[in-house]
Amino acid sequence: MSRELRLRIVSGVVLGVLVLAATWAGGLWFRSLAVLIMVLMHYEFTTISNARVKTPFANAIGWMAILATAGFILTYLPQMALAAILIGGVGAVLAGVMRGGGLWSATAVFYAGFSGLALAEIRGEGHFGLFAMLFIFAIVWATDILAYFFGRALGGPKLAPSISPGKTWSGAIFGAAAGVGAGVGVALIVRQGGGMMIPVIALLLSIASQIGDLFESWVKRRFGAKDSSRLIPGHGGVMDRVDGLVFAAFAAFLLANLLPLSVRAGGVDELAARLLGL
């Protein structure tokens, strides 16, 4: 086993344990994790796009928005966090109109900000949020692993050759099927019955995770970057590891706000309860 592979395995196990521990603990522990992911994603995105040099004013507005969003997430003020993201993104665009550029800074604010907010609000405080995050983790991880395995084993037509030459339609289809199976399995365990909408929701989240993967690949290809950063030994950057997860979490956040609530869960757990049909 090569040194790089050993490093990759060790860092992957350590990260997995920390993420699952924070997910289990919930509350401020998970909100702190969501904020950390958000801030590091914004740092990586603005570094890749060289926003600090190309659009310093828009970049400064973006950072103020992200730091304000972090504070609101940690103090349980989701509406204020959403307002900070929207104001910061629009402010970065306006700064770009006045001084040139700015669209990439605005994209960084929306991408990182909505990711952090969605993760924090889906997890919430109680067991509904824990179930929902395990549901999302299972879908994303199953999709990622099986898409890679079947894509390599079966090959075939490329999914998006100009963005990510290694991804195939066979991998995408089998990955989505695996994501649905994993999501239904978790739903059956946590609520003793899947419900008619669970497979549909799992499929949508699996597709969202694959879109997130392609989006991050497109950003890196656009700026000629191999990895989003070198923050994680053997794995590259934070964006490289959570690209599918954050898109799935944001899709879950949107779905949870649209779906009806079967029973009164109360508080922030309401979103998770809607997602699982509780």
Side-chain angles (χ1 to χ4, degrees):
M1 187 183 295
S2 68
R3 179 180 178 277
E4 169 125 9
L5 181 56
R6 287 198 302 270
L7 184 63
R8 185 179 179 88
I9 292 172
V10 170
S11 61
V13 170
V14 171
L15 284 172
V17 170
L18 291 175
V19 168
L20 289 175
T23 304
W24 178 269
L28 192 58
W29 289 101
F30 191 84
R31 286 180 175 271
S32 298
L33 175 64
V35 163
L36 179 62
I37 290 172
M38 177 184 71
V39 171
L40 292 178
M41 284 177 61
H42 188 263
Y43 162 75
E44 290 179 346
F45 199 109
T46 54
T47 300
I48 290 174
S49 61
N50 201 21
R52 183 176 64 86
V53 174
K54 292 182 177 178
T55 55
F57 186 46
N59 184 54
I61 292 174
W63 269 113
M64 286 190 289
I66 287 296
L67 294 176
T69 302
F72 291 134
I73 289 174
L74 292 173
T75 52
Y76 299 83
L77 296 170
Q79 291 84 3
M80 296 297 292
L82 178 60
I85 294 167
L86 295 175
I87 292 171
V90 173
V93 171
L94 294 176
V97 170
M98 293 187 294
R99 302 194 179 194
L103 289 179
W104 285 109
S105 292
T107 303
V109 172
F110 291 133
Y111 181 45
F114 283 133
S115 296
L117 179 60
L119 286 169
E121 291 307 301
I122 287 293
R123 174 57 184 91
E125 298 301 300
H127 60 279
F128 289 137
L130 173 61
F131 295 160
M133 285 309 307
L134 293 177
F135 177 70
I136 294 170
F137 285 153
I139 292 169
V140 172
W141 291 344
T143 298
D144 189 41
I145 293 169
L146 272 295
Y148 176 81
F149 175 79
F150 280 103
R152 292 289 296 270
L154 300 178
K158 302 297 183 181
L159 179 63
S162 62
I163 298 174
S164 185
K167 291 181 173 57
T168 63
W169 277 103
S170 61
I173 292 169
F174 278 97
V180 171
V184 170
V186 170
L188 287 170
I189 292 170
V190 301
R191 63 186 297 267
Q192 299 179 345
M196 292 296 293
M197 286 298 295
I198 290 295
V200 176
I201 293 171
L203 177 61
L204 292 175
L205 299 191
S206 178
I207 293 171
S209 74
Q210 297 192 57
I211 293 173
D213 194 350
L214 288 173
F215 174 75
E216 201 246 356
S217 295
W218 174 71
V219 170
K220 289 191 296 185
R221 184 170 287 270
R222 169 66 175 76
F223 293 103
K226 181 179 182 294
D227 297 314
S228 58
S229 74
R230 296 182 180 179
L231 291 175
I232 306 175
H235 285 269
V238 174
M239 281 171 54
D240 295 320
R241 299 280 62 83
V242 302
D243 49 6
L245 173 63
V246 295
F247 258 62
F250 185 53
F253 181 78
L254 291 177
L255 284 171
N257 278 285
L258 295 174
L259 292 169
L261 184 63
S262 298
V263 299
R264 188 172 184 80
V268 292
D269 280 350
E270 229 179 73
L271 291 178
R274 285 195 182 109
L275 187 65
L276 295 174
L278 297 170

